[in-house]
Amino acid sequence: MRFMNQRFQLLFLLTLFAVSCSKDKFTSEPRVEVRSIEPATVFNGNIIRVLARYTDEEGDVDSVYIVYKWFNGNNATRVDTLMRFPTNRLGIPSALRESDIAVEFEYNTYNQPNMLTLPGVTRDTTAAFGLILIDKTRKSSNYSESNKIRLKRP
């Protein structure tokens, strides 16, 4: 009987450990993962599209910080954070616990009046874009960054 009790206790502890170590994909803080950016080389007038996926337990993501990084080799030489954009301004669905999102920029032209514009560079430059999501209770997500792309001088 004692052996049975010890086996039960061991099984209970292992189950408790496994449950406590499992990671729920939904957390109270939003989570974002930048999955791709295109095109790899950007010319004047191109549309840059950053594709990402987010999760949020409450489904209350309401805004996004967009971060630009310019590189000289492997070192970031300039980092700019745009102002905070509401999700509806960027076409990101609201009241969802998880979703794919696309953030688009027009490079150095103003042909799309409702689209964000990224100004042209004075010389060919390598850049990356990052996202941070904010929910209605002001909890922020992790920072997730795209791969580097090449911005060509207009």
Side-chain angles (χ1 to χ4, degrees), residues 13-27:
L13 288 174
L14 287 174
T15 303
L16 184 62
F17 179 76
V19 169
S20 67
C21 289
S22 70
K23 291 191 177 185
D24 184 7
K25 77 178 191 178
F26 296 105
T27 61

Side-chain angles (χ1 to χ4, degrees), residues 13-144:
L13 288 174
L14 287 174
T15 303
L16 184 62
F17 179 76
V19 169
S20 67
C21 289
S22 70
K23 291 191 177 185
D24 184 7
K25 77 178 191 178
F26 296 105
T27 61
S28 184
E29 293 80 24
R31 301 282 307 154
V32 65
E33 177 191 1
V34 172
R35 295 191 165 184
S36 66
I37 187 168
E38 52 187 35
T41 303
V42 181
F43 296 93
N44 195 46
N46 283 159
I47 303 297
I48 301 167
R49 176 180 268 199
V50 178
L51 299 174
R53 179 139 189 99
Y54 80 85
T55 60
D56 180 50
E57 178 68 36
E58 293 83 14
D60 63 347
V61 170
D62 77 343
S63 55
V64 179
Y65 280 112
I66 301 170
V67 178
Y68 302 142
K69 283 187 179 179
W70 281 261
F71 291 87
N72 182 5
N74 289 328
N75 300 322
T77 56
R78 186 170 138 200
V79 177
D80 288 334
T81 302
L82 279 180
M83 58 195 248
R84 188 170 161 175
F85 290 95
T87 53
N88 62 355
R89 164 78 163 82
L90 299 174
I92 297 172
S94 61
L96 296 176
R97 292 178 70 201
E98 67 181 317
S99 181
D100 291 322
I101 57 176
V103 179
E104 295 180 325
F105 309 89
E106 186 175 5
Y107 179 59
N108 198 47
T109 55
Y110 302 94
N111 299 325
Q112 310 287 329
N114 294 326
M115 189 176 289
L116 302 174
T117 300
L118 181 67
V121 293
T122 57
R123 61 184 173 95
D124 292 358
T125 303
T126 304
F129 298 82
L131 301 177
I132 300 171
L133 305 181
I134 310 294
D135 71 13
K136 290 180 182 171
T137 63
R138 304 298 179 239
K139 291 183 216 147
S140 62
S141 73
N142 59 304
Y143 172 75
S144 184

